[in-house]
Amino acid sequence: KKSKANLMEVSEDNTKIRRNKEIPLPENTVESKAALEARTVYVKGFDNDSTTLDELLDYFNETNQNVVSVQMRNYSVGKAGEKQWKFKGSIFVTFKNKEAATEFVENKEWKYKDKEMIIKFQKDYLEAK
């Protein structure tokens, strides 16, 4: 069995899991970081209180086969033992390739639960920050 993104494989008896051999771990180089940034998109406008990672993963897995990763952006409130993490209402979405990311950013009709979102490349977001 394989995961929806084909990144993971599960043995027939469901006792073992491993990374797909055809999708090796990327090297940690300046070039690979630039390539990752080029296919990662910033999306803002989600409900801060009710949005869950499971909900986002299900949504993107069902609507866009080119999504490989969704990262919720969080911030902490409180000190040490009482620290709580809160969702910022924005995510980073990584696509299989730059073309898929560009198509997503340029799709001005895209909405989440009928709500318009702020969508831009991660690089543009970080430069404006």
Side-chain angles (χ1 to χ4, degrees), residues 60-91:
F60 281 104
N61 282 330
E62 292 169 9
T63 62
N64 193 322
Q65 297 302 308
N66 290 312
V67 172
V68 294
S69 173
V70 176
Q71 177 186 358
M72 294 178 76
R73 300 184 65 244
N74 299 299
Y75 66 96
S76 63
V77 176
K79 295 183 179 182
E82 300 172 13
K83 188 181 285 190
Q84 290 184 327
W85 291 94
K86 305 279 186 179
F87 178 48
K88 287 186 170 187
S90 61
I91 62 175

Side-chain angles (χ1 to χ4, degrees), residues 68-127:
V68 294
S69 173
V70 176
Q71 177 186 358
M72 294 178 76
R73 300 184 65 244
N74 299 299
Y75 66 96
S76 63
V77 176
K79 295 183 179 182
E82 300 172 13
K83 188 181 285 190
Q84 290 184 327
W85 291 94
K86 305 279 186 179
F87 178 48
K88 287 186 170 187
S90 61
I91 62 175
F92 287 124
V93 182
T94 303
F95 292 84
K96 288 182 181 176
N97 53 52
K98 185 178 180 178
E99 294 76 21
T102 301
E103 182 180 327
F104 183 80
V105 169
E106 291 176 351
N107 181 0
K108 302 301 179 196
E109 303 295 315
W110 191 84
K111 294 180 180 179
Y112 182 78
K113 294 185 176 180
D114 295 322
K115 186 175 179 185
E116 289 190 22
M117 303 294 208
I118 296 168
I119 302 172
K120 56 178 87 172
F121 281 101
Q122 180 184 39
K123 181 178 181 180
D124 297 336
Y125 165 73
L126 294 174
E127 286 175 357

